Amino acid sequence: MEAKEIYQRLKDAFQDDILEFNAEVLQPFIKISPDKTEEIAQFLRDKDDLEFDYLMCLSGLDLGENLGVVYHLYSMKFNHKIVLKTEVSKEQPNVNSVANIWRTADWHEREAYDLLGINFVNHPDLRRILLPDDWEGHPLRKDYQPPKSWHGIPVTLANEEEQDGANE
Amino acid sequence: MEPILKLFTELLPGLSPLLPYWLLATLSALIAALVLFGFIAVFALFAIWLERKISAHMQDRLGPMEVGGWHGWAQTIADTFKLLMKEDLIPEKADRFLFKLAPMIVFSVSIASFAVLPWSRDFIPTDLNVGLLYILSISSLAVIGILMGGWASNNKWSLYGAMRSVAQIVSYEIPISLSLITVILITGTLSMQGIVQSQQGNFLSWNIFHYFPFMFVAFVIYFIASLAEVNRTPFDLPEAESELVAGFHTEYSGMRFAFFFLAEYANMFIVSAIAATAFLGGWLPPFSFLDFIPGPFWFFGKSLFLVFVQMWLRWTLPRLRVDQLMYTSWKVLTPFSFVLILIVSFWQLLTL
Amino acid sequence: MAQTNNFPETRFELEIPDPLKTDEFILNMGPQHPSTHGVLRVLLKTDGEIVESATPYIGYLHRTFEKHAERMTWPQVVPYVDRMDYLASMNNSLGYALAVEKMMGLEVNERAQYLRIIVSELNRIASHLVFLGTYGLDVGAFTPFLYGFRERERIIDLFEEISGGRLLYNYIWIGGVAFDAPDGWLEKVNEFCDYFEPKIKEYNDLLTFNKIFIERTANVGVIPADLAINYGLSGPTLRGSGVNFDLRKNDPYCIYDRFDFNVCIGKGEQGTVGDSWDRYYVRIEEMVESAKIVRQAVNQIPDGDAKETVPRNVRVPAGEIYFRTETPRGELGYYIVSDGGKNPVRVKVRAPAFCNLSILPAVARGTMVADLVAILGSLDIVLGEIDR
């Protein structure tokens, strides 16, 4: 199924929660509202003509003002793909979790929470995954400042600031 | 005591009239003990080197080649010095007394087993009339040392290894004893020397070819069970390094570890020596015209061959799982050895 | 598929009457443990030998790759990519290079394309050989480990000759490869294939069809196909569950559509489809297929300048892409966002081992400690890739 048709199916079913469709880019994407992700995911997975049974990737990213979550879906049966996107503000980064639809999202969402601070509502076990539990801040945000030390272990190197200058 | 005393007086005829009997007996026992202790130490060094070379050649590599010159023969000596010089670590939360006691128990048990092994017609430290029974009972004591070591280390992996080891050794005692009972049925004696002497003649009169193929099966059962008894692959679960790090001796280092290590190789030799005595004619040569070669050569050669087979298996086979290990013992080896006892007894009744 | 939270039936259900109920034994497997393949920590709750729950804790090898990538120029990312799955560096940099090339709309020189196929398939063989060896170790057989490394050594020698590196190659660049093959290298690759193919029988005799090995792995850690897909497994781990899915066939990239090879899937020959033995055997069969691809590529390779299309300045237009390739461990995806500048805005890596490992708690429940080691080994994880 083409991205356009998938968009139509979703638009018919969810109307206002489907915010945008862009087929001009390399991989067409559909933008959805962050508190409907679970329903939309369920719809995409369970409808017989869509059957997106494979969540290839779930990425969080820092868009400057907002935080974004990108879902790359694939259907083993029909061999079609679609990209879903959603945006939340940095102050209230709440996205509905899809971990109960695709179990693989469990760890991906934990990673996005860990590195970007996106809060996945209804996630079964939202903890930090890569960083220590008592780490402060979310390193993949563009405005992240690493702490000077962690439990007495120096984190920032002495010449880090010089390097920063050199790179810019 | 008698045979070794006799050997001693024969070797030094001038001494015997001069010394009182009790002193002579003590001296000869001491010398025998020293000889055996030396043998165990040297054998363990040799066996470790041998194992490394055998494994290396089975795996398409050379193994130790540098230390000592010829094919790295001094490698294990160097390793021993390294172990001797290592810091003697005892974990803080360990039960210090039991922790120190465990390797001693394991090691003394394996030395004690050497007391009744017949090396030749004359050289047997003690020809107990219940020699086989003595060996079987003393070797089960090693379990206590292992459990002690595993418990006292206060390490969960060690405890796992110790528990596995106990379950395993206790289970495999049974097929071992049962398969040796068939030997006792045939020879009618529990004395190690008696068992050897009843196999006089060429190799066809060895117990392994008795009542062919039944005694051969008994030998195979004994051999498999003995692998489990000494924690060798495929039954090396107590020290399964990919599961339990190093099993019951995880926390041991330096000399205490060396004791466990020595005991392991001594045990390998003991179970092979029992197999050689009970099934392969002990110190008897395969043909009677080879009589001129002394007994220790045959005894050692047969045992060493079985040790080699143990090593061969170790570098070939993967490891069983705990439930499969128990299955093998209780549902395969034990029933089979019971059936063998029945068959051998009936055969004996029929041929009376 | 509606109810996917159901875990597979446990094999050892214990019903202990309440007064006898004893404490759970909490066991930390790792971060330093011989069979966690690196620095993985698995928190086990056991009842004797039986695992009641296993929770993996990762992150001990976290090297902030994704943050690093945001500060590097596009070609500078390549060496970092190599360090993720250090057993298959070639395959990792191939994925990144292809993704960036696709964003740039860059056509790569034919000869470079073939060289890329040859090195990545050789690296697949090398990686599977390490798996073969370590899996043997996991179930207690030491010898296959050295057999595997003996053959891998020859592949590494080939790589050393073409790229200068033995573990991390930095060979596949955006737009081509770093060096053309030296004289006689392709013949050596062919010789290696001649040498390697008969060795498969040796592994099969020694390990694959060993009775104890089969007992230890068949029917252990069965992953049904729908569960495998739902957990996002990929690569041999997914194919072991009987799913015929290989990105080289189903979503072809590079020039894989020019070669003739089979996709190996688990058939449940020794037990159930999707058990550890199937996952193991899929990898053994894949090595043969990879050797087949290498031979074809060596025969077809055209002359030319392999560095012809390597751009002086990498300018990536604004946009984003998710590009996936089949590494020895499965689907390696790069989600790359560019704003047209000289650094990527975001490089997210969908690491195959990361997803493969996430199924461990579901399959480990109710198995024995020894089985857990066998299952963990059959997932073939590389911590460098999981933690990034």
Side-chain angles (χ1 to χ4, degrees):
Chain A
M1 206 185 270
E2 289 297 311
K4 184 88 186 151
E5 296 168 63
I6 296 167
Y7 169 68
Q8 277 310 329
R9 286 291 313 260
L10 282 178
K11 193 75 188 168
D12 293 345
F14 291 95
Q15 271 120 35
D16 292 348
D17 291 314
I18 311 298
L19 306 173
E20 188 192 334
F21 174 65
N22 189 342
E24 309 299 304
V25 290
L26 216 49
Q27 291 168 333
F29 66 85
I30 302 169
K31 201 172 223 174
I32 58 174
S33 105
D35 37 316
K36 277 284 185 286
T37 49
E38 188 165 7
E39 286 87 342
I40 294 170
Q42 179 106 36
F43 180 84
L44 285 170
R45 191 193 73 185
D46 290 344
K47 282 284 172 268
D48 286 341
D49 55 338
L50 297 167
E51 221 174 285
F52 283 101
D53 49 0
Y54 197 81
L55 175 68
M56 296 188 286
C57 187
L58 188 157
S59 339
L61 64 163
D62 188 342
L63 302 165
E65 300 278 293
N66 291 339
L67 295 170
V69 182
V70 186
Y71 305 83
H72 293 88
L73 305 180
Y74 178 69
S75 165
M76 290 268 181
K77 191 171 168 194
F78 299 111
N79 200 14
H80 54 211
K81 296 176 189 168
I82 192 69
V83 183
L84 299 181
K85 282 188 176 185
T86 184
E87 261 180 50
V88 284
S89 71
K90 276 188 175 171
E91 286 73 42
Q92 278 206 322
N94 294 329
V95 183
N96 256 2
S97 163
V98 294
N100 292 320
I101 314 291
W102 298 288
R103 295 291 300 155
T104 181
D106 183 345
W107 281 25
H108 281 297
E109 284 180 352
R110 278 177 67 187
E111 190 187 315
Y113 164 73
D114 190 359
L115 301 178
L116 285 146
I118 299 164
N119 183 32
F120 289 92
V121 183
N122 282 340
H123 188 280
D125 180 26
L126 197 63
R127 287 178 288 127
R128 284 190 182 269
I129 188 167
L130 294 173
L131 302 178
D133 286 343
D134 54 354
W135 193 264
E136 277 175 26
H138 302 284
L140 272 186
R141 289 196 182 184
K142 297 284 181 193
D143 52 3
Y144 173 74
Q145 288 298 325
K148 286 274 178 285
S149 69
W150 179 76
H151 289 294
I153 308 165
V155 173
T156 323
L157 294 174
N159 60 352
E160 187 126 307
E161 272 140 40
E162 293 163 35
Q163 277 188 353
D164 267 342
N167 257 17
E168 277 153 24
Chain B
M1 230 41 245
E2 271 65 45
I4 190 82
L5 197 59
K6 203 168 122 241
L7 184 73
F8 194 65
T9 44
E10 272 168 20
L11 289 176
L12 294 164
L15 275 179
S16 43
L18 298 176
L19 294 172
Y21 176 78
W22 61 267
L23 189 58
L24 207 59
T26 319
L27 272 180
S28 60
L30 264 178
I31 289 171
L34 280 177
V35 165
L36 281 178
F37 190 80
F39 168 77
I40 295 169
V42 172
F43 172 78
L45 290 182
F46 170 69
I48 293 167
W49 174 81
L50 191 71
E51 171 131 41
R52 293 179 70 166
K53 289 308 263 191
I54 287 174
S55 67
H57 286 282
M58 282 178 182
Q59 293 161 350
D60 245 5
R61 57 194 177 92
L62 290 169
M65 287 300 282
E66 297 295 329
V67 186
W70 185 78
H71 284 261
W73 66 270
Q75 181 68 49
T76 39
I77 297 173
D79 286 346
T80 317
F81 275 111
K82 185 203 78 175
L83 283 177
L84 276 169
M85 281 185 281
K86 272 180 99 166
E87 187 188 350
D88 179 27
L89 285 174
I90 299 179
E92 197 187 352
K93 298 258 169 74
D95 186 328
R96 296 180 77 90
F97 176 68
L98 291 183
F99 189 83
K100 286 178 183 167
L101 191 63
M104 296 181 201
I105 290 187
V106 172
F107 188 60
S108 26
V109 161
S110 38
I111 291 191
S113 310
F114 275 86
V116 290
L117 293 181
W119 287 80
S120 71
R121 197 181 309 277
D122 303 314
F123 188 57
I124 172 165
T126 333
D127 189 10
L128 279 183
N129 55 0
V130 287
L132 201 55
L133 196 62
Y134 166 80
I135 279 203
L136 284 178
S137 40
I138 203 99
S139 61
S140 6
L141 282 178
V143 166
I144 298 173
I146 290 174
L147 185 57
M148 233 180 230
W151 170 260
S153 304
N154 207 352
N155 174 320
K156 288 174 179 178
W157 299 110
S158 304
L159 188 60
Y160 251 109
M163 297 308 284
R164 280 185 181 188
S165 191
V166 173
Q168 173 177 329
I169 295 183
V170 169
S171 313
Y172 277 85
E173 292 268 297
I174 293 159
I176 284 195
S177 319
L178 291 178
S179 53
L180 287 177
I181 282 177
T182 55
V183 176
I184 299 168
L185 279 172
I186 292 174
T187 55
T189 171
L190 277 167
S191 143
M192 296 297 266
Q193 196 67 280
I195 290 172
V196 175
Q197 260 146 9
S198 71
Q199 303 179 58
Q200 289 282 6
N202 68 7
F203 69 94
L204 282 177
S205 58
W206 292 354
N207 276 340
I208 189 172
F209 297 113
H210 224 275
Y211 300 148
F212 196 78
F214 297 111
M215 286 310 287
F216 188 76
V217 177
F219 170 72
V220 171
I221 289 176
Y222 172 81
F223 188 74
I224 293 174
S226 73
L227 288 177
E229 184 86 6
V230 294
N231 299 338
R232 297 289 292 184
T233 312
F235 307 108
D236 61 343
L237 291 99
E239 45 207 77
E241 104 260 355
S242 62
E243 295 155 27
L244 303 184
V245 190
F248 61 88
H249 57 60
T250 307
E251 295 289 353
Y252 282 90
S253 66
M255 217 40 226
R256 294 181 213 286
F257 171 74
F259 270 126
F260 278 120
F261 213 53
L262 275 178
E264 182 185 333
Y265 281 88
N267 283 337
M268 274 168 74
F269 182 79
I270 290 165
V271 292
S272 306
I274 298 171
T277 312
F279 294 98
L280 300 175
W283 43 263
L284 294 168
F287 299 101
S288 26
F289 67 83
L290 288 170
D291 247 347
F292 62 92
I293 302 177
F297 173 80
W298 297 114
F299 180 75
F300 186 67
K302 285 167 186 173
S303 309
L304 201 61
F305 173 72
L306 291 176
V307 169
F308 167 71
V309 177
Q310 287 182 346
M311 291 175 178
W312 186 2
L313 288 176
R314 170 160 183 186
W315 299 107
T316 310
L317 295 177
R319 178 189 312 126
L320 284 171
R321 206 169 55 208
V322 184
D323 56 328
Q324 291 159 351
L325 175 97
M326 290 298 159
Y327 180 95
T328 319
S329 169
W330 293 105
K331 295 194 175 166
V332 183
L333 298 181
T334 310
F336 264 91
S337 32
F338 269 121
V339 170
L340 279 175
I341 293 180
L342 273 181
I343 292 173
V344 171
S345 342
F346 269 113
W347 198 318
Q348 291 229 306
L349 277 179
L350 291 177
T351 51
L352 263 181
Chain C
M1 284 294 291
Q3 265 295 331
T4 43
N5 289 336
N6 281 348
F7 297 121
E9 287 285 306
T10 53
R11 282 197 301 133
F12 300 94
E13 275 300 341
L14 279 189
E15 282 183 22
I16 301 172
D18 262 341
L20 277 178
K21 184 70 182 173
T22 45
D23 268 351
E24 285 163 329
F25 197 53
I26 295 176
L27 203 56
N28 262 312
M29 190 163 156
Q32 269 98 39
H33 186 276
S35 51
T36 51
H37 298 258
V39 281
L40 169 68
R41 176 160 76 101
V42 186
L43 187 75
L44 301 180
K45 286 190 181 139
T46 62
D47 182 358
E49 286 277 346
I50 296 156
V51 177
E52 287 193 334
S53 80
T55 322
Y57 286 82
I58 61 174
Y60 290 89
L61 207 60
H62 183 50
R63 290 150 300 169
T64 65
F65 162 74
E66 288 172 12
K67 189 75 178 171
H68 268 304
E70 290 174 12
R71 289 171 58 167
M72 297 291 152
T73 62
W74 293 93
Q76 276 176 342
V77 177
V78 176
Y80 285 88
V81 163
D82 274 357
R83 280 155 180 77
M84 286 195 309
D85 180 355
Y86 40 77
L87 293 179
S89 304
M90 293 287 191
N91 301 68
N92 278 26
S93 35
L94 177 68
Y96 176 75
L98 287 172
V100 177
E101 280 154 17
K102 188 142 188 208
M103 287 179 93
M104 296 167 70
L106 190 71
E107 274 300 314
V108 178
N109 174 284
E110 278 284 294
R111 187 172 171 85
Q113 298 243 25
Y114 275 95
L115 281 174
R116 285 174 169 192
I117 297 284
I118 294 170
V119 291
S120 29
E121 288 308 311
L122 281 176
N123 210 337
R124 190 185 307 278
I125 296 175
S127 168
H128 283 346
L129 282 171
V130 176
F131 162 78
L132 170 92
T134 49
Y135 198 49
L137 269 186
D138 285 343
V139 296
F142 191 83
T143 304
F145 180 72
L146 286 146
Y147 281 21
F149 270 65
R150 182 184 62 192
E151 270 74 75
R152 179 170 176 264
E153 187 66 24
R154 298 182 67 134
I155 298 178
I156 291 176
D157 285 346
L158 288 172
F159 284 162
E160 189 178 11
E161 205 169 321
I162 197 170
S163 73
R166 286 174 61 84
L167 188 69
L168 305 162
Y169 312 108
N170 189 15
Y171 179 66
I172 297 176
W173 283 358
I174 297 167
V177 293
F179 309 100
D180 203 341
D183 289 340
W185 190 80
L186 292 168
E187 286 74 53
K188 282 186 193 163
V189 172
N190 248 341
E191 273 168 36
F192 169 77
C193 291
D194 293 338
Y195 162 82
F196 177 69
E197 275 158 351
K199 295 285 177 194
I200 298 285
K201 190 183 175 306
E202 207 168 287
Y203 309 141
N204 285 347
D205 288 346
L206 184 64
L207 193 64
T208 314
F209 295 108
N210 181 303
K211 177 73 179 150
I212 297 177
F213 181 72
I214 291 172
E215 287 287 322
R216 279 297 306 278
T217 54
N219 292 323
V220 168
V222 179
I223 304 176
D226 57 342
L227 196 77
I229 294 173
N230 198 261
Y231 266 93
L233 302 195
S234 50
T237 316
L238 178 66
R239 289 193 282 280
S241 296
V243 182
N244 191 338
F245 183 75
D246 187 324
L247 290 173
R248 291 173 293 174
K249 282 265 193 223
N250 296 51
D251 195 2
Y253 55 93
C254 217
I255 49 165
Y256 273 110
D257 44 1
R258 300 185 197 169
F259 303 109
D260 167 41
F261 63 98
N262 300 322
V263 177
C264 318
I265 58 169
K267 301 184 193 72
E269 276 168 61
Q270 307 292 338
T272 325
V273 177
D275 57 14
S276 302
W277 193 87
D278 274 351
R279 288 194 284 279
Y280 164 86
Y281 197 57
V282 162
R283 293 191 175 93
I284 296 282
E285 282 182 319
E286 255 182 43
M287 289 198 278
V288 184
E289 299 300 325
S290 289
K292 233 158 85 181
I293 298 175
V294 171
R295 271 182 198 281
Q296 294 172 39
V298 170
N299 290 340
Q300 295 173 14
I301 190 165
D303 286 335
D305 178 10
K307 293 185 71 175
E308 186 191 355
T309 47
V310 178
R312 282 268 164 80
N313 291 311
V314 180
R315 289 250 168 262
V316 182
E320 56 181 60
I321 195 171
Y322 175 78
F323 196 86
R324 51 183 189 163
T325 55
E326 180 87 18
T327 73
R329 263 148 276 284
E331 173 180 332
L332 174 73
Y334 287 97
Y335 174 60
I336 301 176
V337 183
S338 164
D339 60 355
K342 57 181 182 177
N343 315 11
V345 173
R346 175 92 166 93
V347 180
K348 151 91 184 178
V349 178
R350 184 260 194 226
F354 181 79
C355 299
N356 290 355
L357 180 65
S358 68
I359 203 172
L360 185 73
V363 285
R365 200 163 147 259
T367 58
M368 304 186 103
V369 177
D371 285 342
L372 182 79
V373 172
I375 296 169
L376 196 59
S378 74
L379 295 176
D380 190 18
I381 52 170
V382 167
L383 265 297
E385 186 181 68
I386 293 173
D387 295 344
R388 278 158 285 149

